[in-house]
């Protein structure tokens, strides 16, 4: 155990004890957060230069700050909090007017609006509830990197700076800010491979917390209420249509309205654990806010991070659904990066973000250090920019936080007009959505994430809000689907609560069309033979691979149900394939040729082969089916396949077979002789480029079915 101490700028004595603990200490905190105040935060993703993995948590903080509108209250949550409260009370009283007589447990003040006109450069210093928070930070200022205020910042805090006409009724239980002062923290740094617990003792006006117990109220979860209705199809599309009229008028450039979904949740801690597993994100969190309210989320987006004088943000805009495998992901990324609309979304977000920083940063230091970088999440792919600036000496982390309020990625541009549109068109107040979670360090640092992909949980009901960035060229139905897709990660994790950690859905037994069949695969010195064999084995077939030139009697010894002619270099004559086909056909064996195999079958039947003007090696090809095809059954009329060939057959040059697929320039891609069970494809079904929709595997399965007598 290590002990250190210091006196803060406000004269508060701080003693810190640190010791190594097992990572299980953090999981104990997560469990406790189901019924006690506190928070746990983690980063489940590594993106070099942006995010690394860490985790920290606390339970039973000694003191709580809560804001509703311009009223801010400090409450001691235990005996230790009563020791600290006088120091915090003086900070609040310096910022506002008391509404009630301060007590040993509570002080409440109102921060009135200023009648003075401040220039925009000083907007973050306007009198608001943050004036009181700034006083608290100043009083506790010190070098400890972990001591600070932890919690959540609500969306409505922006209205203390922006003149938004409020149309929606604010619920009585809505709070705009909840911050905790923890006196015990567990901090896990997975880069340094450390897991430490920090315990703090405070001395205020000669009175110390040492020897006082760390306790807190137990807040049992309420019985679940009836779930509100989820949005009806088409409701969000109407909001998109209204936004397009604003774009046409020039009132808005972009706007990010949301819609709300609901699900049951009686175990926030289990939900948080499940969400971390199913949807890792840079900002994963569970915050027990008291009054039976929890926030659980996995946000992909940094709000504001400050280290020293460096301020960073990572605006996200540009979204596409993930594919079912990395190849489909790559295609989705290609589509995303080539979309002018998606690029415009992020460009506007970044330009607004740069503007926010220019208010408080040293001239010339605001820079885009990462442009349209790809981030992959459980169900979505995003494009992300990374922006930094250097704070001017007269500004601090809180100025950086306030000048970005709120991120354009959750509001739109111009910001005030976009926020007014949201107020006028969303069905309910945003509460925490679109605000921030994280901590403000007493050492001048800050790390906050946007409150996205977040569930607000109260009375057993989880409320999930999801939005989409709208532009004039937005498609209403597509944007509505995007909100549903964004919400689905949380709704899926909520549905899985209570399922054992190792439980996996039991898949229906898959048909094995190759079961009981033996395949002879003839290897023509190709680089893909083993993968081709694996595809047949996946369908249940027994595969024997022989290098070309094997003795003919082995055909009878192997006794295959199907002969597969592999791809290979050169021409069919280089391998004597014609002689082998004579023997195979004489035995009335089914045959399937791939690439060189197709060329050999065409040439053996008396057809002609030609060289392509430009070889197609490892290239993506568009293949169009021609009429009915037993070999290509189950594939769409057009599909993508991998081409690895210089030789080819033209449709008029094919003899004895029916061509059933072509490229746009007329190259034969598939041939069939169903009666004699002879089939071939020019493309490679085993390539990653033929995986879209499972095309390659479907062709192999079809070949095996067609091979049965």
């Amino acid at each position: 155990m290590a002990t250190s101490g210091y006196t803060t700028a406000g004269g508060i004595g701080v003693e810190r004890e640190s010791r190594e603990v097992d990572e299980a200490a953090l999981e104990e905190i997560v469990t406790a957060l189901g019924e006690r105040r506190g928070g746990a935060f983690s980063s489940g993703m590594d993106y070099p230069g942006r995010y690394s993995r860490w985790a920290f948590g606390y339970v039973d903080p000694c003191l709580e700050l809560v804001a509703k509108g311009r009223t801010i209250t400090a409450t001691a949550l235990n005996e230790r909090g009563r020791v600290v409260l006088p120091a915090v009370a003086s900070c609040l009283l310096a910022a506002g007017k008391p509404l009630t007589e301060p007590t040993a447990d509570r002080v409440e003040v109102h921060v009135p609006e200023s009648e003075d006109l401040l220039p925009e450069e000083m907007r973050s210093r306007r009198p608001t509830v943050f004036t009181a928070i700034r006083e608290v930070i100043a009083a506790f200022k010190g070098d400890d990197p972990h001591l600070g205020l932890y919690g959540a910042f609500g969306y409505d805090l922006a209205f203390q700076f922006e003149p938004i006409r409020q149309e929606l009724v604010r619920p009585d239980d809505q709070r705009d800010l909840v911050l905790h002062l923890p006196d015990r923290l567990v901090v896990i740094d997975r880069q340094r491979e450390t897991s430490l617990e920090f315990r703090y003792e405070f001395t205020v006006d000669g009175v110390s917390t040492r020897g006082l117990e760390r306790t807190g109220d137990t807040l049992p979860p309420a019985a679940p209420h009836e779930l509100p209705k989820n949005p009806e199809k088409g409701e969000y599309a109407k909001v998109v249509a209204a936004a397009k009229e604003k774009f046409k008028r020039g009132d808005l450039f972009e706007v990010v309205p949301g819609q709300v979904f609901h699900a049951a949740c009686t175990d926030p801690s289990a939900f948080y654990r499940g969400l971390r597993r199913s949807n890792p994100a840079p900002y994963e969190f569970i915050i027990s806010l008291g009054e039976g309210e929890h926030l659980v989320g996995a946000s992909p987006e940094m709000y504001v991070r400050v280290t020293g004088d460096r301020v960073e943000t990572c605006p996200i805009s540009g979204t596409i659904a993930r594919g079912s495998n990395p190849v489909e992901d790559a295609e989705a990324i290609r589509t995303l990066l080539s979309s002018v609309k998606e690029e415009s979304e992020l460009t506007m977000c970044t330009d607004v973000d740069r503007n926010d920083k220019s208010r408080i940063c040293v001239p010339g230091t605001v820079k885009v250090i990462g442009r349209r970088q790809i981030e992959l999440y459980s169900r979505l792919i995003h494009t992300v920019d990374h922006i930094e600036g250097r704070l001017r000496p007269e500004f601090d982390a809180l100025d950086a936080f306030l000048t970005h309020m709120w991120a354009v990625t959750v509001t739109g541009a111009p910001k005030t007009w976009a926020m007014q549109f949201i107020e006028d068109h969303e069905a309910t107040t945003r509460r925490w959505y679109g605000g921030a979670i994280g901590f403000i360090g007493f050492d001048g640092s800050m790390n906050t994430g946007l409150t996205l992909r977040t569930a607000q949980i109260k009375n057993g009901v989880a409320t999930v809000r999801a939005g989409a960035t709208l532009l004039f060229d937005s498609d209403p139905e597509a944007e509505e689907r995007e909100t549903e897709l964004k919400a689905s990660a949380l709704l899926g994790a909520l549905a899985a609560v209570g399922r054992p950690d190792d439980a996996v859905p039991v898949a229906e037994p898959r048909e094995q069309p190759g079961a009981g069949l033996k395949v002879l695969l003839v290897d023509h010195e190709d680089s893909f033979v083993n993968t081709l064999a694996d595809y047949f084995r996946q369908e249940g077939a027994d595969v024997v691979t022989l290098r070309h030139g094997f003795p003919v009697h082995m055909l009878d010894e192997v006794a295959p149900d199907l002969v597969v002619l592999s791809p290979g270099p050169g021409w069919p004559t280089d391998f004597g394939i014609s002689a082998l086909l004579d023997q195979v056909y004489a035995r009335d064996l089914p045959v399937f040729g791939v690439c060189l195999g197709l060329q050999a079958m065409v040439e053996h039947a008396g057809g002609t082969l030609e060289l392509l003007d430009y070889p197609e090696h490892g290239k993506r090809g568009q293949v169009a089916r021609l009429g009915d095809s037993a070999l290509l059954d189950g594939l769409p009329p057009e599909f993508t396949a991998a081409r690895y060939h210089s030789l080819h057959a033209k449709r008029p040059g094919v003899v004895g077979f029916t061509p059933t697929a072509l490229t746009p320039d007329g190259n034969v891609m598939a041939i069939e002789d169903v009666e004699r069970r002879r089939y071939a494809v020019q493309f490679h079904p085993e390539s990653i480029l033929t995986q879209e929709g499972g095309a390659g595997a479907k062709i192999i399965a079809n070949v095996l079915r067609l091979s049965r007598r």
Side-chain angles (χ1 to χ4, degrees), residues 15-339:
E15 295 177 58
R16 186 184 76 178
E17 295 178 349
S18 63
R19 66 186 182 99
E20 293 185 6
V21 295
D22 191 273
E23 289 194 16
L26 184 59
E27 289 306 311
E28 292 172 4
I29 288 174
V30 170
T31 299
L33 293 176
E35 298 183 345
R36 290 149 64 189
R37 281 183 177 84
F41 304 79
S42 57
S43 174
M45 308 196 82
D46 286 310
Y47 281 113
R50 296 199 295 286
Y51 303 117
S52 60
R53 298 195 181 202
W54 46 260
F56 55 83
Y58 64 93
V59 70
D60 296 333
C62 64
L63 190 137
E64 177 182 70
L65 291 169
V66 174
K68 289 185 176 183
R70 288 186 163 269
T71 297
I72 184 166
T73 305
T75 304
L77 300 175
N78 52 32
E79 287 296 326
R80 299 171 62 82
R82 291 189 182 94
V83 172
V84 179
L85 184 61
V88 176
S90 63
C91 296
L92 267 61
L93 292 168
K97 299 176 180 178
L99 293 177
T100 57
E101 186 68 26
T103 68
D105 295 312
R106 192 169 185 270
V107 60
E108 181 180 37
V109 304
H110 177 76
V111 183
E113 294 188 52
S114 172
E115 296 181 359
D116 297 333
L117 180 63
L118 293 176
E120 278 298 295
E121 287 78 5
M122 299 301 293
R123 66 181 280 113
S124 56
R125 299 299 174 96
R126 293 174 184 171
T128 64
V129 294
F130 288 99
T131 307
I133 293 170
R134 189 184 296 280
E135 294 283 346
V136 174
I137 294 170
F140 281 82
K141 186 177 180 181
D143 294 332
D144 187 287
H146 305 298
L147 194 58
L149 298 174
Y150 293 72
F153 305 83
Y155 179 80
D156 275 11
L157 289 169
F159 300 156
Q160 299 191 29
F161 298 92
E162 300 291 0
I164 303 298
R165 182 188 71 258
Q166 293 191 3
E167 295 292 330
L168 298 170
V169 176
R170 268 56 191 171
D172 292 338
D173 65 347
Q174 176 174 312
R175 294 174 289 173
D176 299 332
L177 175 147
V178 175
L179 296 177
H180 296 147
L181 175 61
D183 52 8
R184 171 185 173 253
L185 280 160
V186 172
V187 179
I188 298 171
D189 186 329
R190 293 194 171 88
Q191 278 192 318
R192 298 179 179 177
E193 298 184 343
T194 59
S195 180
L196 300 171
E197 179 189 69
F198 299 96
R199 291 175 177 255
Y200 297 91
E201 304 293 346
F202 302 106
T203 301
V204 177
D205 298 332
V207 181
S208 174
T209 58
R210 184 166 291 281
L212 298 177
E213 191 177 356
R214 290 176 168 83
T215 61
D217 294 335
T218 299
L219 309 164
H225 285 200
E226 183 180 350
L227 292 179
K229 288 184 178 180
N230 283 331
E232 293 184 5
K233 287 284 186 182
E235 286 184 9
Y236 192 80
K238 293 177 183 177
V239 177
V240 179
K244 289 167 80 77
E245 292 301 315
K246 296 291 186 181
F247 299 140
K248 189 182 297 185
R249 279 177 45 85
D251 294 348
L252 296 171
F253 306 143
E254 63 179 354
V255 69
V256 194
Q259 60 176 343
V260 175
F261 305 85
H262 300 91
C265 181
T266 56
D267 191 342
S269 298
F271 172 37
Y272 169 65
R273 289 190 175 101
L275 191 59
R276 277 188 301 171
R277 287 192 301 271
S278 65
N279 191 49
Y283 290 91
E284 305 159 346
F285 55 91
I286 174 173
I287 310 174
S288 178
L289 299 165
E291 299 184 10
E293 185 178 19
H294 289 78
L295 289 181
V296 177
S299 175
E301 185 168 347
M302 180 192 301
Y303 176 54
V304 174
R305 184 167 66 192
V306 178
T307 309
D309 68 344
R310 185 184 187 220
V311 54
E312 299 171 81
T313 53
C314 291
I316 290 177
S317 199
T319 302
I320 196 167
R322 288 197 65 168
S324 61
N325 56 57
V327 177
E328 291 183 7
D329 280 347
E331 284 301 302
I333 290 169
R334 185 199 303 269
T335 301
L336 180 60
L337 290 177
S338 62
S339 168

Side-chain angles (χ1 to χ4, degrees), residues 66 78 106 115-116 227 301 325 372 390 408 411 424 430 475 497 610 634 670 698:
V66 174
N78 52 32
R106 192 169 185 270
E115 296 181 359
D116 297 333
L227 292 179
E301 185 168 347
N325 56 57
R372 298 199 81 196
R390 298 287 174 173
V408 67
T411 55
D424 293 342
R430 287 193 160 188
D475 173 73
V497 172
E610 300 175 10
K698 288 177 181 177

Side-chain angles (χ1 to χ4, degrees), residues 524-584:
H524 298 115
E525 302 176 28
D526 191 57
S527 297
F528 312 116
V529 172
N530 294 327
T531 304
L532 188 59
D534 182 71
Y535 268 48
F536 280 96
R537 291 186 180 111
Q538 288 181 49
E539 302 299 331
D542 179 18
V543 180
V544 175
T545 305
L546 295 178
R547 184 64 66 93
H548 67 93
F550 59 85
V552 173
H553 67 81
M554 293 194 71
L555 271 176
D556 300 315
E557 292 178 14
V558 174
D561 300 291
L562 169 68
V563 175
V564 176
L565 304 178
S566 85
W571 290 63
T573 52
D574 294 330
F575 300 97
I577 303 177
S578 183
L580 176 63
L581 283 172
D582 285 337
Q583 297 295 324
V584 171

Side-chain angles (χ1 to χ4, degrees), residues 402-424:
L402 297 177
T403 196
H404 288 84
M405 189 177 282
W406 285 115
V408 67
T409 51
V410 292
T411 55
K415 261 191 200 179
T416 53
W417 287 53
M419 292 172 82
Q420 188 64 64
F421 180 90
I422 289 168
E423 178 74 14
D424 293 342

